[in-house]
Amino acid sequence: MTSQVFAVCFGASQPLRLAQFWSGVLGWEPADDPHDGVALLPSDDTGFRIRVVPSQKQKVGQNRMHFDLTSASLEDQQQTVARALALGGRHIDVGQRPEDGHVVLADPEGNEFCVIEPGNEFLADCGFIGALACDGSQAVGYFWSEALGWPLVWDQDQETAIRSPHGGPKFTWGGPPVAPKKGENRLHFDLAPPAHADLQAEVERLLSLGATRSDTGQGDVGGWVAMADPDGNEFCLLTPR
């Protein structure tokens, strides 16, 4: 069996504040995290948790991944935006056009996310977190499809998307041009092999698919392996669970 996405992890200068924001926006319950952070447990079939961990690294440029939140109606979209603003979010301009139906916001740490207008067919059955939208190459979409064992649900014009066979959000990659990477990503995936799996064998499998080992200065001391995908995006391979 392949590894699965255990968490989407945010690095934050104020982890508790950021966790409270996302807990309020999503309606997810907080829980203890073993690495001095906060975990948020999904209240639906999202399939992964959110982890918010301490980080003193500054955000540089636009994130390479962000959440797309769905809306059942215009009123629902407006309520999500109002709730996010009340919790400390803000409107931002990333080049969206006035006629675009989605609303672009940032959380209290400046991480971008979108509240999508109702009637979006691509995200129609994906739940509140409709997608984790990523800036990335076609090749990295293929990598994550193989790495997770998730089928491609979109592969056109070098844009790709995958989705778990069990449902939940789509993971999408917008294709070229991919913006140059500036520093360490503020968001990354935490992967976990299934219980009783061989961690080293999974490392070797991911390397064979195009991943690389990352030197974060911690090695494997914390019980996880630091790696990067073919576009250089960091991810962590945790111990089997």
Side-chain angles (χ1 to χ4, degrees):
M1 292 180 65
T2 59
S3 291
Q4 291 300 306
V5 179
F6 179 73
V8 171
C9 186
F10 286 77
S13 59
Q14 299 183 61
L16 181 58
R17 183 184 182 214
L18 188 61
Q20 290 171 336
F21 172 85
W22 283 107
S23 176
V25 170
L26 300 175
W28 292 15
E29 290 297 321
D32 291 334
D33 185 84
H35 299 289
D36 299 323
V38 182
L40 301 177
L41 305 182
S43 56
D44 52 23
D45 66 347
T46 296
F48 55 80
R49 64 183 63 193
I50 290 174
R51 296 181 60 233
V52 187
V53 299
S55 174
Q56 297 308 313
K57 292 184 170 63
Q58 297 297 311
K59 184 176 184 294
V60 181
Q62 192 170 315
N63 287 339
R64 275 191 164 186
M65 67 170 74
H66 67 266
F67 288 134
D68 282 345
L69 307 182
T70 62
S71 305
S73 65
L74 285 175
E75 182 182 8
D76 183 41
Q77 183 187 30
Q78 292 164 358
Q79 289 175 348
T80 299
V81 170
R83 184 165 69 250
L85 296 175
L87 289 165
R90 58 185 172 88
H91 288 278
I92 58 170
D93 183 358
V94 296
Q96 67 270 32
R97 300 167 300 178
E99 65 269 25
D100 288 340
H102 63 278
V103 179
V104 184
L105 302 173
D107 68 22
E109 297 257 346
N111 301 302
E112 305 85 3
F113 65 101
C114 295
V115 185
I116 306 298
E117 69 277 10
N120 184 294
E121 294 183 2
F122 185 67
L123 304 178
D125 62 343
C126 291
F128 188 34
I129 298 181
L132 190 62
C134 307
D135 184 20
S137 65
Q138 183 182 47
V140 88
Y142 291 168
F143 166 81
W144 282 109
S145 177
E146 292 289 336
L148 299 174
W150 291 9
L152 286 161
V153 295
W154 182 266
D155 186 11
Q156 294 184 28
D157 301 322
Q158 300 191 63
E159 297 179 352
T160 53
I162 62 175
R163 192 183 186 197
S164 167
H166 305 294
K170 292 176 177 176
F171 290 9
T172 71
W173 290 270
V178 180
K181 189 170 183 293
K182 299 178 181 179
E184 186 174 313
N185 291 338
R186 295 293 297 271
L187 284 79
H188 70 260
F189 297 137
D190 283 346
L191 305 189
H196 310 302
D198 185 324
L199 180 63
Q200 188 55 41
E202 182 63 355
V203 169
E204 295 301 325
R205 185 183 75 88
L206 293 170
L207 292 174
S208 74
L209 294 175
T212 55
R213 295 287 290 261
S214 292
D215 181 9
T216 63
Q218 295 192 29
D220 305 340
V221 176
W224 45 269
V225 181
M227 305 189 77
D229 70 19
D231 279 357
N233 302 301
E234 303 85 4
F235 68 93
C236 292
L237 182 64
L238 309 178
T239 53
R241 59 196 66 201

